[in-house]
Amino acid sequence: MSAEHLLHARPSLVVHLKLLLNCMYMHGFVPDSFGAGIIVPLLKVKSGNMNDLNNYRPITLIPVISKLFESIILATCQECLKVDDLQFGFRRGLGCTDAIFSLKTTINYYTERGSSVYAAALDLSKAFDSVNHFKLFSALLKAGLPVGVVTIICNWYGKLLVSVRWNNMLSNAFHVGSGVRQGSMLSPALFNVFMNLFIVKLKLSSCGCYIDNIFYGCIMYADDVTIMCPSVKGLQIMLDVCVEASNVLCLKFNHVKSHCIMFGKCYNQHIEPMLLGSQTIDWVKSVKYLGVYIVSGAKLSFDIASAKRSFYAACNSIHSHAKSLDQIVQLTLHESYCLPLLTYALAALTLSAKQLNELNMSVGTLFTD
């Protein structure tokens, strides 16, 4: 059953769906089929190693009527699912560009006033799939979600049963005991409520960057946690707070993918690796944040070399596969698939005159070839 079946069905279906969904809410019970799902692995990088499990991103296909029920819960409980403004992921009207702009503005505020900023970009290991269900339900109750809704979600999550589809073959079904539901309209909002503990605890630590007495020491995008502090000691305290919050939520940090970086007049000083729990994380000169490369220095700067490489690779691919097509068609393909790689998050970046000229030259190649 697809969304088109609901969109083009007779109006009388609305009455039956209303009776069904109201009955489910009254009894705190969903059908077993609402928990069913089919996982389809998709390649992250098509030019990468197809035998590498880490090069696959799973998506889950779920019943359309369950999505309808989720959209109703999401609409009626929107006020209870609000999270801190420092969370930019899975929120309407906000995106990566807003998070990058907030990070840049905070760092520039301190460096322009002669202060240094010490930051840490932290990576949580498979946070979306590692959510402890009991901790999730507890967080939803604390957020003020109606008990009836939480009861439905509890019943729902107890029936998560999925199969993997590969080459039109289905695996045996298996139970999902952790993580928020893949493919769900409700999951992003639930995940944000679950992760909000990090921001709450960091605010209570009284460490981090402040602008006009407003806390900007933590920028979150879903499970990407970036913390900033004008002192090394304060940064270590914030790291300890993050570890404490992760322990409460039964999550784990990946110290290999977590890094520290510094900005301001002291950016060249030698600092011993910071502690993230029992592990250490090193100081680096450049870090990838939400798809852009941030470079350490007296002032925050951005590296666009990776974006240019991706842009030219996409252009070459179109040239090799579509050279027999009309030029207008080729240009449309370039504008649709190549330009976004070059202009991604451009509104939030501060680039030098040289970098702007490089971008102009790259765009110019589309019209001169």
Side-chain angles (χ1 to χ4, degrees):
M1 197 174 192
S2 65
E4 284 72 18
H5 289 99
L6 300 182
L7 289 171
H8 303 296
R10 292 178 63 84
S12 58
L13 178 64
V14 175
V15 178
H16 294 286
L17 286 175
K18 178 184 174 182
L19 291 171
L20 171 66
L21 301 182
N22 279 336
C23 187
M24 285 163 51
Y25 181 77
M26 289 172 57
H27 294 280
F29 183 90
V30 297
D32 291 350
S33 60
F34 269 39
I38 298 175
I39 297 175
V40 181
L42 298 179
L43 273 172
K44 292 181 181 178
V45 182
K46 292 184 179 180
S47 59
N49 184 5
M50 296 181 65
N51 295 320
D52 183 8
L53 293 177
N54 295 319
N55 195 29
Y56 286 89
R57 179 183 290 109
I59 64 165
T60 304
L61 308 177
I62 58 177
V64 68
I65 295 182
S66 71
K67 285 189 175 184
L68 175 65
F69 191 35
E70 288 171 339
S71 66
I72 295 171
I73 294 176
L74 192 59
T76 54
C77 300
Q78 205 163 18
E79 288 298 316
C80 300
L81 294 171
K82 283 186 175 180
V83 293
D84 198 281
D85 289 338
L86 294 174
Q87 171 62 270
F88 291 86
F90 303 135
R91 295 181 63 193
R92 182 175 296 178
L94 296 177
C96 295
T97 302
D98 302 284
I100 295 167
F101 179 80
S102 298
L103 182 77
K104 181 196 74 173
T105 303
T106 303
I107 294 172
N108 287 345
Y109 178 86
Y110 276 81
T111 55
E112 288 171 1
R113 287 161 177 75
S115 177
S116 295
V117 175
Y118 304 92
L122 308 177
D123 180 81
L124 284 161
S125 299
K126 303 186 183 302
F128 206 80
D129 298 320
S130 303
V131 171
N132 181 287
H133 289 172
F134 176 77
K135 300 286 184 179
L136 174 63
F137 305 147
S138 300
L140 295 177
L141 289 172
K142 288 180 181 178
L145 209 66
V147 175
V149 174
V150 178
T151 302
I152 289 174
I153 295 173
C154 289
N155 181 266
W156 207 329
Y157 272 59
K159 298 177 177 179
L160 299 185
L161 204 66
V162 298
S163 302
V164 178
R165 188 173 73 192
W166 183 262
N167 288 338
N168 294 322
M169 299 292 290
L170 280 179
S171 71
N172 293 328
F174 57 92
H175 177 69
V176 178
S178 65
V180 287
R181 190 173 181 231
Q182 289 277 354
S184 163
M185 297 180 63
L186 192 58
S187 291
L190 301 184
F191 185 74
N192 276 354
V193 172
F194 179 75
M195 294 294 293
N196 200 56
L197 182 67
F198 282 96
I199 301 176
V200 172
K201 283 189 170 292
L202 285 168
K203 281 187 172 181
L204 293 174
S205 71
S206 300
C207 295
C209 292
Y210 285 80
I211 299 178
D212 292 334
N213 295 321
I214 299 175
F215 179 75
Y216 284 96
C218 173
I219 304 292
M220 289 191 68
Y221 192 90
D223 59 343
D224 285 321
V225 186
T226 303
I227 56 177
M228 297 170 286
C229 189
S231 70
V232 178
K233 182 179 179 181
L235 182 66
Q236 184 58 66
I237 293 173
M238 296 178 76
L239 287 170
D240 294 338
V241 170
C242 288
V243 171
E244 179 188 342
S246 68
N247 290 334
V248 171
L249 298 178
C250 300
L251 298 175
K252 291 183 179 180
F253 281 108
N254 185 344
H255 69 280
V256 176
K257 292 184 179 180
S258 300
H259 305 286
C260 292
I261 188 170
M262 64 185 87
F263 308 91
K265 59 185 179 181
C266 300
Y267 78 97
N268 265 332
Q269 66 182 357
H270 174 74
I271 303 176
E272 293 297 321
M274 306 297 286
L275 285 174
L276 185 62
S278 59
Q279 303 289 341
T280 60
I281 52 176
D282 296 324
W283 292 91
V284 296
K285 295 296 182 182
S286 174
V287 65
K288 187 178 182 181
Y289 178 67
L290 298 180
V292 300
Y293 285 87
I294 299 172
V295 182
S296 173
K299 293 183 178 180
L300 180 145
S301 60
F302 299 92
D303 185 359
I304 62 170
S306 177
K308 288 171 57 182
R309 285 194 298 271
S310 299
F311 170 78
Y312 284 120
C315 287
N316 291 334
S317 178
I318 289 176
H319 278 305
S320 62
H321 291 89
K323 58 185 177 182
S324 61
L325 299 178
D326 184 80
Q327 286 187 345
I328 297 299
V329 175
Q330 291 188 46
L331 185 59
T332 303
L333 290 172
H334 281 105
E335 290 179 345
S336 300
Y337 295 99
C338 303
L339 271 182
L341 299 173
L342 198 63
T343 59
Y344 167 71
L346 201 58
L349 309 185
T350 302
L351 303 180
S352 65
K354 180 182 177 182
Q355 288 176 318
L356 290 174
N357 286 332
E358 290 176 359
L359 291 181
N360 285 331
M361 291 176 62
S362 299
V363 174
T365 59
L366 297 182
F367 303 96
T368 55
D369 288 351

